[in-house]
């Protein structure tokens, strides 16, 4: 599969899974990055742009404007879709640093 086909498969899979979900919006950038925003969190799917390597994505979970977790690299669109599905419905937990700020 070529790079645009991977991006199209990921975008269509995200739209199929989350397109009708109340309060969830999907934004896709020109470079294939996807942003799935819900009421209390955002999941950002970022495409690795290294031509010599197989396609891969990383996921970033954000809550309250802060990065909570990072995942990847994930090498198939199926793996990305499964991880996003788990993150959209999972409890968001914070680790608090010694100064009291979330990390």
């Amino acid at each position: 599969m070529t790079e645009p086909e991977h991006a199209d498969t990921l975008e269509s899979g995200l739209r199929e899974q989350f397109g009708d979900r109340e309060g969830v919006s999907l934004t896709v950038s020109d470079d294939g990055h996807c942003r799935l925003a819900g009421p209390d969190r955002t999941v950002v799917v970022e495409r690795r742009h290294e031509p010599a390597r197989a396609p891969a994505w990383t996921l970033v979970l954000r809550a309250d404007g802060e990065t909570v977790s990072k995942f990847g690299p994930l090498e198939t669109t199926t793996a990305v879709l499964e991880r996003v599905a788990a993150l959209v419905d999972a409890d968001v937990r914070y680790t608090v640093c010694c100064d009291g700020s979330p990390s």
Side-chain angles (χ1 to χ4, degrees):
M1 218 180 264
T2 65
E3 186 171 330
E5 288 172 330
H6 280 289
D8 291 344
T9 302
L10 180 59
E11 179 182 352
S12 63
L14 289 169
R15 287 196 191 285
E16 184 177 309
Q17 281 187 295
F18 305 104
D20 294 334
R21 192 176 279 210
E22 182 79 22
V24 174
S25 66
L26 175 65
T27 306
V28 179
S29 67
D30 290 340
D31 58 1
H33 293 180
C34 300
R35 182 178 173 272
L36 191 66
D40 66 342
R41 73 195 69 206
T42 301
V43 178
V44 179
V45 181
E46 298 176 335
R47 175 121 164 101
R48 179 173 67 192
H49 293 284
E50 297 176 34
R53 296 182 146 186
W57 295 265
T58 57
L59 292 139
V60 177
L61 175 62
R62 295 185 178 135
D64 298 325
E66 298 292 328
T67 297
V68 176
S69 298
K70 293 183 179 183
F71 305 89
L74 303 168
E75 296 182 358
T76 66
T77 55
T78 300
V80 172
L81 293 170
E82 288 172 355
R83 181 59 62 120
V84 170
L87 292 173
V88 166
D89 295 321
D91 289 338
V92 176
R93 301 188 192 278
Y94 294 89
T95 301
V96 178
C97 292
C98 53
D99 67 356
S101 65
S103 69

